[in-house]
mmCIF file of all heavy atoms in Angstrom:
data_model
loop_
_atom_site.group_PDB
_atom_site.id
_atom_site.type_symbol
_atom_site.label_atom_id
_atom_site.label_comp_id
_atom_site.label_asym_id
_atom_site.label_seq_id
_atom_site.Cartn_x
_atom_site.Cartn_y
_atom_site.Cartn_z
ATOM 1 N N ALA K 138 54.303 -29.329 -13.098
ATOM 2 C CA ALA K 138 53.650 -28.026 -12.710
ATOM 3 C C ALA K 138 52.307 -27.926 -13.439
ATOM 4 O O ALA K 138 52.264 -28.301 -14.669
ATOM 5 C CB ALA K 138 54.537 -26.851 -12.916
ATOM 6 N N ILE K 139 51.321 -27.435 -12.743
ATOM 7 C CA ILE K 139 50.043 -27.135 -13.393
ATOM 8 C C ILE K 139 49.679 -25.726 -12.994
ATOM 9 O O ILE K 139 49.706 -25.374 -11.807
ATOM 10 C CB ILE K 139 48.955 -28.161 -12.919
ATOM 11 C CG1 ILE K 139 49.319 -29.560 -13.301
ATOM 12 C CG2 ILE K 139 47.664 -27.775 -13.535
ATOM 13 C CD1 ILE K 139 48.326 -30.631 -12.775
ATOM 14 N N GLY K 140 49.361 -24.943 -14.015
ATOM 15 C CA GLY K 140 48.906 -23.572 -13.738
ATOM 16 C C GLY K 140 47.414 -23.420 -13.948
ATOM 17 O O GLY K 140 46.861 -23.819 -14.978
ATOM 18 N N TYR K 141 46.686 -22.891 -12.897
ATOM 19 C CA TYR K 141 45.289 -22.813 -13.009
ATOM 20 C C TYR K 141 44.873 -21.329 -13.194
ATOM 21 O O TYR K 141 45.537 -20.493 -12.601
ATOM 22 C CB TYR K 141 44.688 -23.251 -11.659
ATOM 23 C CG TYR K 141 44.798 -24.731 -11.508
ATOM 24 C CD1 TYR K 141 45.879 -25.294 -10.770
ATOM 25 C CD2 TYR K 141 43.889 -25.630 -11.996
ATOM 26 C CE1 TYR K 141 46.062 -26.630 -10.595
ATOM 27 C CE2 TYR K 141 44.014 -26.991 -11.823
ATOM 28 C CZ TYR K 141 45.099 -27.562 -11.062
ATOM 29 O OH TYR K 141 45.226 -28.917 -10.907
ATOM 30 N N ASP K 142 43.897 -21.048 -14.032
ATOM 31 C CA ASP K 142 43.401 -19.779 -14.265
ATOM 32 C C ASP K 142 42.566 -19.334 -13.010
ATOM 33 O O ASP K 142 41.376 -19.828 -12.920
ATOM 34 C CB ASP K 142 42.558 -19.756 -15.547
ATOM 35 C CG ASP K 142 42.259 -18.325 -16.025
ATOM 36 O OD1 ASP K 142 42.029 -17.477 -15.127
ATOM 37 O OD2 ASP K 142 42.294 -18.072 -17.275
ATOM 38 N N SER K 143 43.046 -18.501 -12.283
ATOM 39 C CA SER K 143 42.369 -18.048 -10.975
ATOM 40 C C SER K 143 41.010 -17.421 -11.277
ATOM 41 O O SER K 143 40.009 -17.674 -10.559
ATOM 42 C CB SER K 143 43.215 -17.168 -10.209
ATOM 43 O OG SER K 143 44.427 -17.702 -9.753
ATOM 44 N N ASP K 144 40.903 -16.692 -12.372
ATOM 45 C CA ASP K 144 39.692 -15.975 -12.694
ATOM 46 C C ASP K 144 38.542 -16.951 -13.038
ATOM 47 O O ASP K 144 37.462 -16.849 -12.636
ATOM 48 C CB ASP K 144 39.846 -14.917 -13.770
ATOM 49 C CG ASP K 144 40.748 -13.747 -13.396
ATOM 50 O OD1 ASP K 144 40.767 -13.510 -12.087
ATOM 51 O OD2 ASP K 144 41.438 -13.171 -14.225
ATOM 52 N N LYS K 145 38.934 -17.986 -13.881
ATOM 53 C CA LYS K 145 37.928 -18.955 -14.254
ATOM 54 C C LYS K 145 37.469 -19.740 -13.096
ATOM 55 O O LYS K 145 36.353 -20.169 -12.958
ATOM 56 C CB LYS K 145 38.547 -19.823 -15.369
ATOM 57 C CG LYS K 145 38.698 -19.086 -16.727
ATOM 58 C CD LYS K 145 39.166 -20.102 -17.798
ATOM 59 C CE LYS K 145 39.366 -19.304 -19.145
ATOM 60 N NZ LYS K 145 39.780 -20.225 -20.154
ATOM 61 N N ILE K 146 38.428 -20.123 -12.198
ATOM 62 C CA ILE K 146 38.091 -20.845 -11.035
ATOM 63 C C ILE K 146 37.154 -19.987 -10.178
ATOM 64 O O ILE K 146 36.095 -20.575 -9.642
ATOM 65 C CB ILE K 146 39.362 -21.250 -10.261
ATOM 66 C CG1 ILE K 146 40.142 -22.321 -11.000
ATOM 67 C CG2 ILE K 146 38.995 -21.758 -8.830
ATOM 68 C CD1 ILE K 146 41.421 -22.731 -10.334
ATOM 69 N N GLU K 147 37.411 -18.777 -10.032
ATOM 70 C CA GLU K 147 36.577 -17.893 -9.178
ATOM 71 C C GLU K 147 35.178 -17.848 -9.817
ATOM 72 O O GLU K 147 34.156 -17.834 -9.102
ATOM 73 C CB GLU K 147 37.164 -16.516 -9.058
ATOM 74 C CG GLU K 147 36.403 -15.524 -8.182
ATOM 75 C CD GLU K 147 36.309 -15.964 -6.727
ATOM 76 O OE1 GLU K 147 37.223 -16.650 -6.311
ATOM 77 O OE2 GLU K 147 35.277 -15.542 -6.083
ATOM 78 N N LYS K 148 35.114 -17.705 -11.089
ATOM 79 C CA LYS K 148 33.777 -17.659 -11.810
ATOM 80 C C LYS K 148 33.081 -18.979 -11.601
ATOM 81 O O LYS K 148 31.796 -18.938 -11.465
ATOM 82 C CB LYS K 148 33.981 -17.396 -13.294
ATOM 83 C CG LYS K 148 34.468 -15.957 -13.612
ATOM 84 C CD LYS K 148 34.512 -15.770 -15.075
ATOM 85 C CE LYS K 148 35.045 -14.357 -15.421
ATOM 86 N NZ LYS K 148 35.258 -14.091 -16.873
ATOM 87 N N ARG K 149 33.712 -20.072 -11.710
ATOM 88 C CA ARG K 149 32.971 -21.312 -11.427
ATOM 89 C C ARG K 149 32.446 -21.411 -10.044
ATOM 90 O O ARG K 149 31.379 -21.862 -9.805
ATOM 91 C CB ARG K 149 34.027 -22.515 -11.712
ATOM 92 C CG ARG K 149 33.408 -23.887 -11.395
ATOM 93 C CD ARG K 149 34.246 -25.068 -11.802
ATOM 94 N NE ARG K 149 34.204 -25.210 -13.262
ATOM 95 C CZ ARG K 149 34.838 -26.268 -13.895
ATOM 96 N NH1 ARG K 149 35.592 -27.099 -13.159
ATOM 97 N NH2 ARG K 149 34.813 -26.286 -15.189
ATOM 98 N N ILE K 150 33.364 -20.985 -9.098
ATOM 99 C CA ILE K 150 32.887 -20.969 -7.698
ATOM 100 C C ILE K 150 31.647 -20.073 -7.458
ATOM 101 O O ILE K 150 30.622 -20.382 -6.883
ATOM 102 C CB ILE K 150 34.043 -20.632 -6.754
ATOM 103 C CG1 ILE K 150 35.098 -21.638 -6.699
ATOM 104 C CG2 ILE K 150 33.453 -20.326 -5.291
ATOM 105 C CD1 ILE K 150 36.385 -21.322 -5.907
ATOM 106 N N GLN K 151 31.729 -18.843 -8.123
ATOM 107 C CA GLN K 151 30.614 -17.940 -8.007
ATOM 108 C C GLN K 151 29.378 -18.475 -8.663
ATOM 109 O O GLN K 151 28.246 -18.263 -8.160
ATOM 110 C CB GLN K 151 31.001 -16.628 -8.729
ATOM 111 C CG GLN K 151 32.093 -15.810 -8.021
ATOM 112 C CD GLN K 151 31.625 -15.315 -6.626
ATOM 113 O OE1 GLN K 151 30.464 -15.230 -6.322
ATOM 114 N NE2 GLN K 151 32.594 -14.998 -5.776
ATOM 115 N N ALA K 152 29.534 -19.277 -9.784
ATOM 116 C CA ALA K 152 28.353 -19.836 -10.422
ATOM 117 C C ALA K 152 27.734 -20.868 -9.478
ATOM 118 O O ALA K 152 26.511 -20.977 -9.389
ATOM 119 C CB ALA K 152 28.810 -20.500 -11.787
ATOM 120 N N GLN K 153 28.619 -21.739 -8.890
ATOM 121 C CA GLN K 153 28.125 -22.736 -7.952
ATOM 122 C C GLN K 153 27.429 -22.066 -6.782
ATOM 123 O O GLN K 153 26.268 -22.476 -6.319
ATOM 124 C CB GLN K 153 29.298 -23.611 -7.403
ATOM 125 C CG GLN K 153 29.861 -24.522 -8.538
ATOM 126 C CD GLN K 153 28.878 -25.536 -9.035
ATOM 127 O OE1 GLN K 153 28.030 -25.977 -8.388
ATOM 128 N NE2 GLN K 153 29.157 -26.039 -10.233
ATOM 129 N N VAL K 154 28.025 -20.993 -6.241
ATOM 130 C CA VAL K 154 27.409 -20.288 -5.074
ATOM 131 C C VAL K 154 26.126 -19.658 -5.539
ATOM 132 O O VAL K 154 25.170 -19.622 -4.744
ATOM 133 C CB VAL K 154 28.404 -19.316 -4.515
ATOM 134 C CG1 VAL K 154 27.734 -18.360 -3.496
ATOM 135 C CG2 VAL K 154 29.638 -19.874 -3.959
ATOM 136 N N GLY K 155 26.147 -19.150 -6.761
ATOM 137 C CA GLY K 155 24.861 -18.517 -7.282
ATOM 138 C C GLY K 155 23.716 -19.516 -7.281
ATOM 139 O O GLY K 155 22.560 -19.092 -6.995
ATOM 140 N N HIS K 156 24.042 -20.755 -7.729
ATOM 141 C CA HIS K 156 22.957 -21.834 -7.670
ATOM 142 C C HIS K 156 22.476 -22.005 -6.250
ATOM 143 O O HIS K 156 21.244 -22.134 -6.053
ATOM 144 C CB HIS K 156 23.441 -23.101 -8.293
ATOM 145 C CG HIS K 156 23.787 -23.024 -9.728
ATOM 146 N ND1 HIS K 156 22.901 -22.485 -10.594
ATOM 147 C CD2 HIS K 156 24.808 -23.442 -10.496
ATOM 148 C CE1 HIS K 156 23.362 -22.585 -11.850
ATOM 149 N NE2 HIS K 156 24.573 -23.150 -11.788
ATOM 150 N N TRP K 157 23.344 -22.005 -5.280
ATOM 151 C CA TRP K 157 22.952 -22.146 -3.924
ATOM 152 C C TRP K 157 22.138 -20.938 -3.432
ATOM 153 O O TRP K 157 21.198 -21.134 -2.705
ATOM 154 C CB TRP K 157 24.236 -22.326 -3.045
ATOM 155 C CG TRP K 157 24.770 -23.694 -2.981
ATOM 156 C CD1 TRP K 157 25.685 -24.288 -3.837
ATOM 157 C CD2 TRP K 157 24.354 -24.736 -2.088
ATOM 158 N NE1 TRP K 157 25.881 -25.572 -3.555
ATOM 159 C CE2 TRP K 157 25.044 -25.942 -2.449
ATOM 160 C CE3 TRP K 157 23.470 -24.856 -1.035
ATOM 161 C CZ2 TRP K 157 24.930 -27.124 -1.809
ATOM 162 C CZ3 TRP K 157 23.372 -25.959 -0.399
ATOM 163 C CH2 TRP K 157 24.129 -27.142 -0.732
ATOM 164 N N ILE K 158 22.594 -19.780 -3.926
ATOM 165 C CA ILE K 158 21.794 -18.565 -3.526
ATOM 166 C C ILE K 158 20.390 -18.640 -4.069
ATOM 167 O O ILE K 158 19.419 -18.365 -3.391
ATOM 168 C CB ILE K 158 22.478 -17.303 -4.089
ATOM 169 C CG1 ILE K 158 23.788 -17.047 -3.233
ATOM 170 C CG2 ILE K 158 21.547 -16.116 -3.889
ATOM 171 C CD1 ILE K 158 24.636 -15.958 -3.802
ATOM 172 N N GLU K 159 20.204 -19.117 -5.357
ATOM 173 C CA GLU K 159 18.897 -19.296 -5.852
ATOM 174 C C GLU K 159 18.076 -20.232 -5.115
ATOM 175 O O GLU K 159 16.846 -20.040 -4.714
ATOM 176 C CB GLU K 159 19.021 -19.723 -7.327
ATOM 177 C CG GLU K 159 19.551 -18.662 -8.260
ATOM 178 C CD GLU K 159 19.721 -19.171 -9.663
ATOM 179 O OE1 GLU K 159 19.284 -20.352 -9.979
ATOM 180 O OE2 GLU K 159 20.214 -18.443 -10.574
ATOM 181 N N LEU K 160 18.614 -21.433 -4.884
ATOM 182 C CA LEU K 160 17.919 -22.359 -4.035
ATOM 183 C C LEU K 160 17.609 -21.816 -2.618
ATOM 184 O O LEU K 160 16.575 -22.050 -2.122
ATOM 185 C CB LEU K 160 18.737 -23.635 -3.859
ATOM 186 C CG LEU K 160 19.000 -24.494 -5.194
ATOM 187 C CD1 LEU K 160 19.965 -25.645 -4.949
ATOM 188 C CD2 LEU K 160 17.635 -25.064 -5.680
ATOM 189 N N GLY K 161 18.593 -21.115 -2.067
ATOM 190 C CA GLY K 161 18.313 -20.561 -0.682
ATOM 191 C C GLY K 161 17.293 -19.479 -0.688
ATOM 192 O O GLY K 161 16.479 -19.376 0.250
ATOM 193 N N ALA K 162 17.310 -18.726 -1.793
ATOM 194 C CA ALA K 162 16.215 -17.643 -1.902
ATOM 195 C C ALA K 162 14.810 -18.288 -2.012
ATOM 196 O O ALA K 162 13.883 -17.784 -1.353
ATOM 197 C CB ALA K 162 16.477 -16.751 -3.120
ATOM 198 N N ILE K 163 14.732 -19.373 -2.865
ATOM 199 C CA ILE K 163 13.499 -20.004 -2.947
ATOM 200 C C ILE K 163 13.039 -20.579 -1.634
ATOM 201 O O ILE K 163 11.850 -20.399 -1.161
ATOM 202 C CB ILE K 163 13.497 -21.109 -4.038
ATOM 203 C CG1 ILE K 163 13.730 -20.478 -5.445
ATOM 204 C CG2 ILE K 163 12.254 -21.948 -4.034
ATOM 205 C CD1 ILE K 163 13.974 -21.519 -6.485
ATOM 206 N N ALA K 164 13.987 -21.255 -0.976
ATOM 207 C CA ALA K 164 13.693 -21.852 0.352
ATOM 208 C C ALA K 164 13.355 -20.771 1.361
ATOM 209 O O ALA K 164 12.453 -20.935 2.189
ATOM 210 C CB ALA K 164 14.852 -22.720 0.812
ATOM 211 N N GLY K 165 14.061 -19.629 1.343
ATOM 212 C CA GLY K 165 13.890 -18.500 2.197
ATOM 213 C C GLY K 165 12.562 -17.913 2.101
ATOM 214 O O GLY K 165 11.805 -17.631 3.086
ATOM 215 N N VAL K 166 12.156 -17.613 0.799
ATOM 216 C CA VAL K 166 10.895 -16.988 0.559
ATOM 217 C C VAL K 166 9.714 -17.948 1.042
ATOM 218 O O VAL K 166 8.699 -17.506 1.540
ATOM 219 C CB VAL K 166 10.708 -16.722 -0.968
ATOM 220 C CG1 VAL K 166 9.285 -16.265 -1.291
ATOM 221 C CG2 VAL K 166 11.657 -15.558 -1.337
ATOM 222 N N SER K 167 9.963 -19.261 0.735
ATOM 223 C CA SER K 167 8.894 -20.216 1.225
ATOM 224 C C SER K 167 8.810 -20.263 2.670
ATOM 225 O O SER K 167 7.721 -20.237 3.221
ATOM 226 C CB SER K 167 9.288 -21.610 0.645
ATOM 227 O OG SER K 167 9.407 -21.615 -0.841
ATOM 228 N N ALA K 168 9.963 -20.170 3.328
ATOM 229 C CA ALA K 168 9.936 -20.189 4.762
ATOM 230 C C ALA K 168 9.351 -18.909 5.312
ATOM 231 O O ALA K 168 8.571 -19.006 6.288
ATOM 232 C CB ALA K 168 11.411 -20.307 5.257
ATOM 233 N N LEU K 169 9.575 -17.778 4.739
ATOM 234 C CA LEU K 169 9.028 -16.477 5.123
ATOM 235 C C LEU K 169 7.438 -16.575 4.924
ATOM 236 O O LEU K 169 6.719 -16.069 5.811
ATOM 237 C CB LEU K 169 9.594 -15.359 4.402
ATOM 238 C CG LEU K 169 10.971 -14.939 4.778
ATOM 239 C CD1 LEU K 169 11.540 -13.825 3.920
ATOM 240 C CD2 LEU K 169 11.045 -14.544 6.294
ATOM 241 N N VAL K 170 7.036 -17.099 3.795
ATOM 242 C CA VAL K 170 5.513 -17.141 3.594
ATOM 243 C C VAL K 170 4.845 -17.974 4.659
ATOM 244 O O VAL K 170 3.902 -17.627 5.237
ATOM 245 C CB VAL K 170 5.259 -17.709 2.197
ATOM 246 C CG1 VAL K 170 3.752 -18.052 2.029
ATOM 247 C CG2 VAL K 170 5.732 -16.727 1.159
ATOM 248 N N VAL K 171 5.502 -19.158 4.899
ATOM 249 C CA VAL K 171 4.983 -20.043 5.990
ATOM 250 C C VAL K 171 5.068 -19.391 7.289
ATOM 251 O O VAL K 171 4.088 -19.405 8.121
ATOM 252 C CB VAL K 171 5.712 -21.425 6.004
ATOM 253 C CG1 VAL K 171 5.382 -22.296 7.192
ATOM 254 C CG2 VAL K 171 5.562 -22.208 4.650
ATOM 255 N N ALA K 172 6.235 -18.722 7.556
ATOM 256 C CA ALA K 172 6.421 -18.026 8.841
ATOM 257 C C ALA K 172 5.353 -16.941 9.026
ATOM 258 O O ALA K 172 4.899 -16.681 10.122
ATOM 259 C CB ALA K 172 7.821 -17.476 8.948
ATOM 260 N N PHE K 173 5.084 -16.233 7.867
ATOM 261 C CA PHE K 173 4.093 -15.139 7.990
ATOM 262 C C PHE K 173 2.708 -15.653 8.420
ATOM 263 O O PHE K 173 2.118 -15.112 9.389
ATOM 264 C CB PHE K 173 3.973 -14.469 6.622
ATOM 265 C CG PHE K 173 2.823 -13.482 6.572
ATOM 266 C CD1 PHE K 173 2.956 -12.212 7.179
ATOM 267 C CD2 PHE K 173 1.670 -13.780 5.843
ATOM 268 C CE1 PHE K 173 1.851 -11.300 7.079
ATOM 269 C CE2 PHE K 173 0.605 -12.890 5.748
ATOM 270 C CZ PHE K 173 0.720 -11.617 6.406
ATOM 271 N N PHE K 174 2.296 -16.715 7.739
ATOM 272 C CA PHE K 174 0.929 -17.224 8.130
ATOM 273 C C PHE K 174 0.928 -17.869 9.510
ATOM 274 O O PHE K 174 -0.042 -17.674 10.310
ATOM 275 C CB PHE K 174 0.490 -18.368 7.134
ATOM 276 C CG PHE K 174 0.112 -17.678 5.737
ATOM 277 C CD1 PHE K 174 0.855 -17.831 4.618
ATOM 278 C CD2 PHE K 174 -1.098 -17.060 5.673
ATOM 279 C CE1 PHE K 174 0.433 -17.293 3.446
ATOM 280 C CE2 PHE K 174 -1.530 -16.542 4.439
ATOM 281 C CZ PHE K 174 -0.661 -16.661 3.362
ATOM 282 N N VAL K 175 2.065 -18.491 9.858
ATOM 283 C CA VAL K 175 2.166 -19.048 11.160
ATOM 284 C C VAL K 175 2.205 -17.916 12.268
ATOM 285 O O VAL K 175 1.493 -17.937 13.329
ATOM 286 C CB VAL K 175 3.429 -19.912 11.402
ATOM 287 C CG1 VAL K 175 3.640 -20.307 12.870
ATOM 288 C CG2 VAL K 175 3.285 -21.159 10.485
ATOM 289 N N SER K 176 2.895 -16.850 12.005
ATOM 290 C CA SER K 176 2.981 -15.725 12.918
ATOM 291 C C SER K 176 1.624 -15.035 13.019
ATOM 292 O O SER K 176 1.222 -14.614 14.147
ATOM 293 C CB SER K 176 4.020 -14.744 12.450
ATOM 294 O OG SER K 176 3.708 -14.125 11.211
ATOM 295 N N VAL K 177 0.888 -14.836 11.928
ATOM 296 C CA VAL K 177 -0.427 -14.282 11.908
ATOM 297 C C VAL K 177 -1.348 -15.167 12.842
ATOM 298 O O VAL K 177 -2.171 -14.729 13.678
ATOM 299 C CB VAL K 177 -0.987 -14.101 10.576
ATOM 300 C CG1 VAL K 177 -2.431 -13.670 10.666
ATOM 301 C CG2 VAL K 177 -0.207 -13.004 9.791
ATOM 302 N N PHE K 178 -1.286 -16.487 12.643
ATOM 303 C CA PHE K 178 -2.088 -17.411 13.448
ATOM 304 C C PHE K 178 -1.719 -17.296 14.828
ATOM 305 O O PHE K 178 -2.515 -17.196 15.769
ATOM 306 C CB PHE K 178 -1.969 -18.857 12.848
ATOM 307 C CG PHE K 178 -2.677 -19.845 13.696
ATOM 308 C CD1 PHE K 178 -4.052 -20.069 13.603
ATOM 309 C CD2 PHE K 178 -1.896 -20.634 14.601
ATOM 310 C CE1 PHE K 178 -4.612 -21.010 14.418
ATOM 311 C CE2 PHE K 178 -2.488 -21.626 15.403
ATOM 312 C CZ PHE K 178 -3.868 -21.829 15.288
ATOM 313 N N VAL K 179 -0.422 -17.390 15.185
ATOM 314 C CA VAL K 179 0.022 -17.370 16.546
ATOM 315 C C VAL K 179 -0.345 -16.049 17.161
ATOM 316 O O VAL K 179 -0.829 -15.969 18.357
ATOM 317 C CB VAL K 179 1.478 -17.653 16.710
ATOM 318 C CG1 VAL K 179 2.063 -17.419 18.119
ATOM 319 C CG2 VAL K 179 1.868 -19.053 16.198
ATOM 320 N N ALA K 180 -0.082 -14.860 16.502
ATOM 321 C CA ALA K 180 -0.412 -13.585 16.998
ATOM 322 C C ALA K 180 -1.914 -13.496 17.293
ATOM 323 O O ALA K 180 -2.341 -12.948 18.313
ATOM 324 C CB ALA K 180 0.009 -12.465 16.022
ATOM 325 N N GLY K 181 -2.731 -13.897 16.328
ATOM 326 C CA GLY K 181 -4.228 -13.968 16.530
ATOM 327 C C GLY K 181 -4.560 -14.775 17.799
ATOM 328 O O GLY K 181 -5.464 -14.481 18.538
ATOM 329 N N HIS K 182 -3.934 -15.983 17.831
ATOM 330 C CA HIS K 182 -4.271 -16.841 18.981
ATOM 331 C C HIS K 182 -3.911 -16.192 20.313
ATOM 332 O O HIS K 182 -4.708 -16.453 21.305
ATOM 333 C CB HIS K 182 -3.415 -18.151 18.839
ATOM 334 C CG HIS K 182 -3.703 -19.131 19.887
ATOM 335 N ND1 HIS K 182 -4.928 -19.833 19.988
ATOM 336 C CD2 HIS K 182 -2.936 -19.690 20.820
ATOM 337 C CE1 HIS K 182 -4.856 -20.689 20.951
ATOM 338 N NE2 HIS K 182 -3.746 -20.636 21.492
ATOM 339 N N LEU K 183 -2.834 -15.437 20.397
ATOM 340 C CA LEU K 183 -2.465 -14.754 21.606
ATOM 341 C C LEU K 183 -3.293 -13.442 21.865
ATOM 342 O O LEU K 183 -3.634 -13.162 22.961
ATOM 343 C CB LEU K 183 -0.975 -14.366 21.561
ATOM 344 C CG LEU K 183 0.017 -15.586 21.632
ATOM 345 C CD1 LEU K 183 1.449 -15.057 21.390
ATOM 346 C CD2 LEU K 183 -0.107 -16.306 22.971
ATOM 347 N N ALA K 184 -3.595 -12.777 20.731
ATOM 348 C CA ALA K 184 -4.125 -11.426 20.865
ATOM 349 C C ALA K 184 -5.680 -11.499 21.032
ATOM 350 O O ALA K 184 -6.265 -10.569 21.660
ATOM 351 C CB ALA K 184 -3.807 -10.537 19.649
ATOM 352 N N ARG K 185 -6.348 -12.519 20.415
ATOM 353 C CA ARG K 185 -7.801 -12.562 20.431
ATOM 354 C C ARG K 185 -8.316 -12.513 21.908
ATOM 355 O O ARG K 185 -9.234 -11.747 22.253
ATOM 356 C CB ARG K 185 -8.343 -13.705 19.696
ATOM 357 C CG ARG K 185 -8.495 -13.426 18.205
ATOM 358 C CD ARG K 185 -9.278 -14.517 17.506
ATOM 359 N NE ARG K 185 -8.625 -15.801 17.495
ATOM 360 C CZ ARG K 185 -7.741 -16.142 16.582
ATOM 361 N NH1 ARG K 185 -7.451 -15.356 15.563
ATOM 362 N NH2 ARG K 185 -7.109 -17.332 16.666
ATOM 363 N N PRO K 186 -7.886 -13.430 22.775
ATOM 364 C CA PRO K 186 -8.339 -13.397 24.139
ATOM 365 C C PRO K 186 -8.037 -12.011 24.873
ATOM 366 O O PRO K 186 -8.851 -11.583 25.704
ATOM 367 C CB PRO K 186 -7.728 -14.538 24.827
ATOM 368 C CG PRO K 186 -6.494 -14.830 24.023
ATOM 369 C CD PRO K 186 -6.895 -14.518 22.589
ATOM 370 N N LEU K 187 -6.906 -11.494 24.543
ATOM 371 C CA LEU K 187 -6.504 -10.166 25.184
ATOM 372 C C LEU K 187 -7.413 -9.103 24.659
ATOM 373 O O LEU K 187 -7.870 -8.166 25.428
ATOM 374 C CB LEU K 187 -5.093 -9.824 24.868
ATOM 375 C CG LEU K 187 -4.018 -10.786 25.586
ATOM 376 C CD1 LEU K 187 -2.628 -10.363 25.097
ATOM 377 C CD2 LEU K 187 -4.096 -10.654 27.016
ATOM 378 N N LYS K 188 -7.832 -9.151 23.420
ATOM 379 C CA LYS K 188 -8.798 -8.215 22.816
ATOM 380 C C LYS K 188 -10.118 -8.390 23.497
ATOM 381 O O LYS K 188 -10.747 -7.340 23.773
ATOM 382 C CB LYS K 188 -8.875 -8.481 21.354
ATOM 383 C CG LYS K 188 -9.788 -7.445 20.562
ATOM 384 C CD LYS K 188 -9.867 -7.739 19.127
ATOM 385 C CE LYS K 188 -10.818 -6.771 18.414
ATOM 386 N NZ LYS K 188 -10.856 -6.979 16.960
ATOM 387 N N ARG K 189 -10.525 -9.596 23.719
ATOM 388 C CA ARG K 189 -11.825 -9.798 24.457
ATOM 389 C C ARG K 189 -11.814 -9.270 25.777
ATOM 390 O O ARG K 189 -12.804 -8.625 26.262
ATOM 391 C CB ARG K 189 -12.185 -11.311 24.460
ATOM 392 C CG ARG K 189 -12.414 -11.947 23.168
ATOM 393 C CD ARG K 189 -13.108 -13.302 23.266
ATOM 394 N NE ARG K 189 -13.059 -14.061 22.062
ATOM 395 C CZ ARG K 189 -12.275 -15.084 21.898
ATOM 396 N NH1 ARG K 189 -11.331 -15.425 22.807
ATOM 397 N NH2 ARG K 189 -12.321 -15.749 20.793
#
Side-chain angles (χ1 to χ4, degrees):
I139 300 176
Y141 294 92
D142 192 322
S143 298
D144 291 334
K145 290 183 178 180
I146 291 175
E147 182 64 27
K148 287 181 180 178
R149 175 173 286 185
I150 292 175
Q151 291 296 340
Q153 294 291 338
V154 172
H156 291 312
W157 278 90
I158 291 175
E159 291 178 3
L160 292 173
I163 294 173
V166 170
S167 301
L169 285 177
V170 171
V171 173
F173 171 76
F174 286 107
V175 171
S176 64
V177 170
F178 174 77
V179 172
H182 183 67
L183 291 174
R185 274 192 295 272
L187 293 176
K188 183 179 179 181
R189 293 195 194 103

